[in-house]
Amino acid sequence: MDISRRYLLRVASTSGLIAIGLAESEGYFRKLLAQSQPTPTQIKKGEMIYRQLGRTGEQVSVIGLGGHHIGRPKDEPEGIRLIRTAIDGGINFMDNSWDYHNGGSEIRMGKALRDGYRQKVFLMTKIDGRTKQAAAQQIDESLRRLQTEHIDLLQHHEVIRMEDPDRIFAPGGAMEAVVEAQKAGKIRYIGFTGHKDPVVHLRMLEVANQNNFRFDTVQMPLNVMDAHFRSFERQVLPKLVDNNIGVLGMKSMGDQNILKSNTVKPIECLHYAMNLPTSTVITGIESMEILNQAFEAVRTFKPMSQEQVKALLKRTREAAAKGQYELFKTSSQFDSTAKNPEWLG
């Protein structure tokens, strides 16, 4: 699964960028940084940037609205107002999951997408089921909650164990239900998510290839600390770019934990993730203040120079070394299916 020097040089020659890092004795680069890969094709409409989602041809906003956080405001009308204000401001990528707040996030989003708002967005949700039966049930429940006839992107959620890919692709596994749902017009595109270890993502891609399947999207942590510890950016990102799979970045601030290191500011976190070849950077938005912060990040975003990237990573290196601010990698705090194994089926 190593990334060869020849591959990196080929990317650099086509993008006009240089892969930054130290060459090991066998000629392999140790680091992949934010300037080493070309960003997806993008356009600007008003004050929002839109990028192509892999090979799908879809245009999605560079900032995506996180589904878990939108379920946090106690006042449901306030959550609905946040969703609609985000859409009115140009954010069209809507993230969600079958399990967020026991379905509350999907219900809230379904209400927000009434009155013509559904037609303005690219709607994604996730399922936890690893069996065909559990997956099929969760897909139908999500459709009902979201009040829609189809989901634009359905993703296998929390692929965090080495056995998850085998279960998903096994006979009678979740992938059978997902493919059947796609054929029935219930979903359009298929992806997977995970936050634990890049090795698990690589295993998922490998098992998919063994089954002659190529995902449309992959969602993973991409942030200013990831480059230093169990790095999705180094190990997984180049494979997605090479196969034209849409990259969905998440945990740019690690649910505020990265900010607790006092090494970076919120907009710097968003800019770093946006500077990678991400189609969209999904971020948690639970207040109007945070929504405006996301809009400001888009308005002020400019491609980062190699010097800026190096300086930012140098600033975060020591704090990131042991993963103490990326708790989704080093603890079970974010592993909802570990706490609720019955969701897997």
PDB file of all heavy atoms in Angstrom, residues 3 31 51 65 83 89 146 150 181 185 206 208 215 219 245 292 300 307 309:
ATOM      1  N   ILE A   3       3.154   4.393  -1.279  1.00  0.00           N
ATOM      2  CA  ILE A   3       3.022   5.298  -2.409  1.00  0.00           C
ATOM      3  C   ILE A   3       4.409   5.529  -2.982  1.00  0.00           C
ATOM      4  O   ILE A   3       5.288   6.024  -2.303  1.00  0.00           O
ATOM      5  CB  ILE A   3       2.391   6.617  -1.951  1.00  0.00           C
ATOM      6  CG1 ILE A   3       1.035   6.324  -1.317  1.00  0.00           C
ATOM      7  CG2 ILE A   3       2.236   7.576  -3.107  1.00  0.00           C
ATOM      8  CD1 ILE A   3       0.576   7.418  -0.413  1.00  0.00           C
ATOM      9  N   LYS A  31       6.250  11.973   3.447  1.00  0.00           N
ATOM     10  CA  LYS A  31       5.131  12.864   3.724  1.00  0.00           C
ATOM     11  C   LYS A  31       4.382  13.239   2.457  1.00  0.00           C
ATOM     12  O   LYS A  31       4.968  13.402   1.411  1.00  0.00           O
ATOM     13  CB  LYS A  31       5.605  14.145   4.415  1.00  0.00           C
ATOM     14  CG  LYS A  31       6.138  13.904   5.811  1.00  0.00           C
ATOM     15  CD  LYS A  31       6.507  15.222   6.466  1.00  0.00           C
ATOM     16  CE  LYS A  31       7.006  14.975   7.881  1.00  0.00           C
ATOM     17  NZ  LYS A  31       7.384  16.233   8.545  1.00  0.00           N
ATOM     18  N   ARG A  51     -17.030  22.368  -6.163  1.00  0.00           N
ATOM     19  CA  ARG A  51     -16.049  21.473  -6.750  1.00  0.00           C
ATOM     20  C   ARG A  51     -16.718  20.220  -7.281  1.00  0.00           C
ATOM     21  O   ARG A  51     -17.784  19.813  -6.811  1.00  0.00           O
ATOM     22  CB  ARG A  51     -14.992  21.088  -5.704  1.00  0.00           C
ATOM     23  CG  ARG A  51     -14.107  22.255  -5.294  1.00  0.00           C
ATOM     24  CD  ARG A  51     -13.096  21.859  -4.237  1.00  0.00           C
ATOM     25  NE  ARG A  51     -12.188  22.962  -3.933  1.00  0.00           N
ATOM     26  CZ  ARG A  51     -11.290  22.943  -2.969  1.00  0.00           C
ATOM     27  NH1 ARG A  51     -11.161  21.877  -2.193  1.00  0.00           N
ATOM     28  NH2 ARG A  51     -10.510  23.991  -2.750  1.00  0.00           N
ATOM     29  N   LEU A  65     -22.532  20.780   5.240  1.00  0.00           N
ATOM     30  CA  LEU A  65     -23.164  20.970   6.531  1.00  0.00           C
ATOM     31  C   LEU A  65     -23.246  19.641   7.267  1.00  0.00           C
ATOM     32  O   LEU A  65     -23.878  18.698   6.797  1.00  0.00           O
ATOM     33  CB  LEU A  65     -24.557  21.579   6.365  1.00  0.00           C
ATOM     34  CG  LEU A  65     -25.286  21.871   7.665  1.00  0.00           C
ATOM     35  CD1 LEU A  65     -25.776  23.315   7.696  1.00  0.00           C
ATOM     36  CD2 LEU A  65     -26.466  20.924   7.854  1.00  0.00           C
ATOM     37  N   ILE A  83     -30.204  25.157   8.773  1.00  0.00           N
ATOM     38  CA  ILE A  83     -30.090  24.403   7.520  1.00  0.00           C
ATOM     39  C   ILE A  83     -30.482  25.281   6.338  1.00  0.00           C
ATOM     40  O   ILE A  83     -29.768  25.352   5.327  1.00  0.00           O
ATOM     41  CB  ILE A  83     -30.960  23.133   7.564  1.00  0.00           C
ATOM     42  CG1 ILE A  83     -30.444  22.160   8.640  1.00  0.00           C
ATOM     43  CG2 ILE A  83     -30.982  22.442   6.194  1.00  0.00           C
ATOM     44  CD1 ILE A  83     -31.365  20.985   8.919  1.00  0.00           C
ATOM     45  N   GLY A  89     -27.199  30.459   1.574  1.00  0.00           N
ATOM     46  CA  GLY A  89     -25.863  31.018   1.397  1.00  0.00           C
ATOM     47  C   GLY A  89     -24.993  30.236   0.429  1.00  0.00           C
ATOM     48  O   GLY A  89     -23.825  30.583   0.242  1.00  0.00           O
ATOM     49  N   LEU A 146     -36.142  11.605   5.961  1.00  0.00           N
ATOM     50  CA  LEU A 146     -35.681  12.724   5.135  1.00  0.00           C
ATOM     51  C   LEU A 146     -36.771  13.227   4.183  1.00  0.00           C
ATOM     52  O   LEU A 146     -36.555  14.222   3.475  1.00  0.00           O
ATOM     53  CB  LEU A 146     -34.442  12.314   4.348  1.00  0.00           C
ATOM     54  CG  LEU A 146     -33.181  12.069   5.195  1.00  0.00           C
ATOM     55  CD1 LEU A 146     -32.116  11.340   4.379  1.00  0.00           C
ATOM     56  CD2 LEU A 146     -32.632  13.379   5.743  1.00  0.00           C
ATOM     57  N   HIS A 150     -35.454   9.826  -3.024  1.00  0.00           N
ATOM     58  CA  HIS A 150     -34.119   9.287  -3.279  1.00  0.00           C
ATOM     59  C   HIS A 150     -33.072  10.053  -2.482  1.00  0.00           C
ATOM     60  O   HIS A 150     -33.253  11.226  -2.171  1.00  0.00           O
ATOM     61  CB  HIS A 150     -33.777   9.347  -4.779  1.00  0.00           C
ATOM     62  CG  HIS A 150     -33.444  10.725  -5.253  1.00  0.00           C
ATOM     63  ND1 HIS A 150     -34.402  11.643  -5.668  1.00  0.00           N
ATOM     64  CD2 HIS A 150     -32.242  11.371  -5.367  1.00  0.00           C
ATOM     65  CE1 HIS A 150     -33.818  12.768  -6.011  1.00  0.00           C
ATOM     66  NE2 HIS A 150     -32.501  12.640  -5.840  1.00  0.00           N
ATOM     67  N   ALA A 181     -30.814  -1.047  -3.766  1.00  0.00           N
ATOM     68  CA  ALA A 181     -31.454   0.261  -3.583  1.00  0.00           C
ATOM     69  C   ALA A 181     -31.076   1.212  -4.704  1.00  0.00           C
ATOM     70  O   ALA A 181     -31.901   1.997  -5.184  1.00  0.00           O
ATOM     71  CB  ALA A 181     -31.055   0.843  -2.229  1.00  0.00           C
ATOM     72  N   GLY A 185     -33.562   2.983  -7.685  1.00  0.00           N
ATOM     73  CA  GLY A 185     -33.685   4.442  -7.735  1.00  0.00           C
ATOM     74  C   GLY A 185     -33.792   5.107  -6.375  1.00  0.00           C
ATOM     75  O   GLY A 185     -34.054   6.317  -6.296  1.00  0.00           O
ATOM     76  N   GLU A 206      -9.426  -2.178  -1.049  1.00  0.00           N
ATOM     77  CA  GLU A 206      -8.901  -3.432  -1.590  1.00  0.00           C
ATOM     78  C   GLU A 206     -10.010  -4.468  -1.765  1.00  0.00           C
ATOM     79  O   GLU A 206     -10.110  -5.124  -2.806  1.00  0.00           O
ATOM     80  CB  GLU A 206      -7.828  -3.988  -0.653  1.00  0.00           C
ATOM     81  CG  GLU A 206      -7.232  -5.311  -1.101  1.00  0.00           C
ATOM     82  CD  GLU A 206      -6.252  -5.876  -0.089  1.00  0.00           C
ATOM     83  OE1 GLU A 206      -6.076  -5.275   0.995  1.00  0.00           O
ATOM     84  OE2 GLU A 206      -5.664  -6.929  -0.369  1.00  0.00           O
ATOM     85  N   ALA A 208     -13.199  -3.871  -2.067  1.00  0.00           N
ATOM     86  CA  ALA A 208     -14.067  -3.402  -3.152  1.00  0.00           C
ATOM     87  C   ALA A 208     -13.484  -3.783  -4.508  1.00  0.00           C
ATOM     88  O   ALA A 208     -14.208  -4.267  -5.395  1.00  0.00           O
ATOM     89  CB  ALA A 208     -14.251  -1.889  -3.059  1.00  0.00           C
ATOM     90  N   PHE A 215     -15.961   2.713  -5.435  1.00  0.00           N
ATOM     91  CA  PHE A 215     -16.796   3.669  -4.725  1.00  0.00           C
ATOM     92  C   PHE A 215     -16.806   5.019  -5.442  1.00  0.00           C
ATOM     93  O   PHE A 215     -15.841   5.410  -6.096  1.00  0.00           O
ATOM     94  CB  PHE A 215     -16.295   3.855  -3.293  1.00  0.00           C
ATOM     95  CG  PHE A 215     -16.620   2.701  -2.387  1.00  0.00           C
ATOM     96  CD1 PHE A 215     -15.639   1.775  -2.050  1.00  0.00           C
ATOM     97  CD2 PHE A 215     -17.892   2.537  -1.879  1.00  0.00           C
ATOM     98  CE1 PHE A 215     -15.932   0.698  -1.224  1.00  0.00           C
ATOM     99  CE2 PHE A 215     -18.195   1.461  -1.052  1.00  0.00           C
ATOM    100  CZ  PHE A 215     -17.204   0.544  -0.719  1.00  0.00           C
ATOM    101  N   GLN A 219     -15.144   9.203   2.685  1.00  0.00           N
ATOM    102  CA  GLN A 219     -15.108  10.259   3.695  1.00  0.00           C
ATOM    103  C   GLN A 219     -14.105   9.886   4.778  1.00  0.00           C
ATOM    104  O   GLN A 219     -14.083   8.742   5.247  1.00  0.00           O
ATOM    105  CB  GLN A 219     -16.495  10.451   4.302  1.00  0.00           C
ATOM    106  CG  GLN A 219     -16.603  11.589   5.295  1.00  0.00           C
ATOM    107  CD  GLN A 219     -18.042  11.885   5.683  1.00  0.00           C
ATOM    108  OE1 GLN A 219     -18.965  11.642   4.895  1.00  0.00           O
ATOM    109  NE2 GLN A 219     -18.253  12.407   6.870  1.00  0.00           N
ATOM    110  N   ILE A 245     -12.030   9.281  -7.230  1.00  0.00           N
ATOM    111  CA  ILE A 245     -13.071   9.059  -6.231  1.00  0.00           C
ATOM    112  C   ILE A 245     -13.248  10.348  -5.443  1.00  0.00           C
ATOM    113  O   ILE A 245     -12.274  10.958  -4.993  1.00  0.00           O
ATOM    114  CB  ILE A 245     -12.699   7.897  -5.291  1.00  0.00           C
ATOM    115  CG1 ILE A 245     -12.628   6.577  -6.081  1.00  0.00           C
ATOM    116  CG2 ILE A 245     -13.709   7.762  -4.152  1.00  0.00           C
ATOM    117  CD1 ILE A 245     -12.082   5.409  -5.283  1.00  0.00           C
ATOM    118  N   ASN A 292     -21.634  31.377  10.111  1.00  0.00           N
ATOM    119  CA  ASN A 292     -20.981  32.553   9.535  1.00  0.00           C
ATOM    120  C   ASN A 292     -19.471  32.368   9.448  1.00  0.00           C
ATOM    121  O   ASN A 292     -18.826  32.867   8.516  1.00  0.00           O
ATOM    122  CB  ASN A 292     -21.324  33.790  10.365  1.00  0.00           C
ATOM    123  CG  ASN A 292     -22.769  34.234  10.181  1.00  0.00           C
ATOM    124  OD1 ASN A 292     -23.362  33.996   9.131  1.00  0.00           O
ATOM    125  ND2 ASN A 292     -23.342  34.852  11.196  1.00  0.00           N
ATOM    126  N   THR A 300     -12.649  33.887   2.319  1.00  0.00           N
ATOM    127  CA  THR A 300     -11.242  34.280   2.463  1.00  0.00           C
ATOM    128  C   THR A 300     -10.267  33.215   1.967  1.00  0.00           C
ATOM    129  O   THR A 300      -9.055  33.399   2.069  1.00  0.00           O
ATOM    130  CB  THR A 300     -10.935  34.577   3.950  1.00  0.00           C
ATOM    131  OG1 THR A 300     -11.238  33.414   4.741  1.00  0.00           O
ATOM    132  CG2 THR A 300     -11.753  35.763   4.431  1.00  0.00           C
ATOM    133  N   GLU A 307       5.075  27.108   1.351  1.00  0.00           N
ATOM    134  CA  GLU A 307       5.641  27.680   2.566  1.00  0.00           C
ATOM    135  C   GLU A 307       4.578  27.801   3.657  1.00  0.00           C
ATOM    136  O   GLU A 307       4.845  27.548   4.839  1.00  0.00           O
ATOM    137  CB  GLU A 307       6.238  29.059   2.267  1.00  0.00           C
ATOM    138  CG  GLU A 307       7.507  29.036   1.421  1.00  0.00           C
ATOM    139  CD  GLU A 307       7.244  28.676  -0.045  1.00  0.00           C
ATOM    140  OE1 GLU A 307       6.073  28.847  -0.504  1.00  0.00           O
ATOM    141  OE2 GLU A 307       8.178  28.220  -0.714  1.00  0.00           O
ATOM    142  N   VAL A 309       1.870  25.933   3.964  1.00  0.00           N
ATOM    143  CA  VAL A 309       1.556  24.581   4.415  1.00  0.00           C
ATOM    144  C   VAL A 309       2.623  24.079   5.378  1.00  0.00           C
ATOM    145  O   VAL A 309       2.327  23.545   6.460  1.00  0.00           O
ATOM    146  CB  VAL A 309       1.414  23.627   3.210  1.00  0.00           C
ATOM    147  CG1 VAL A 309       1.306  22.176   3.679  1.00  0.00           C
ATOM    148  CG2 VAL A 309       0.194  24.002   2.377  1.00  0.00           C
TER     149      VAL A 309
END
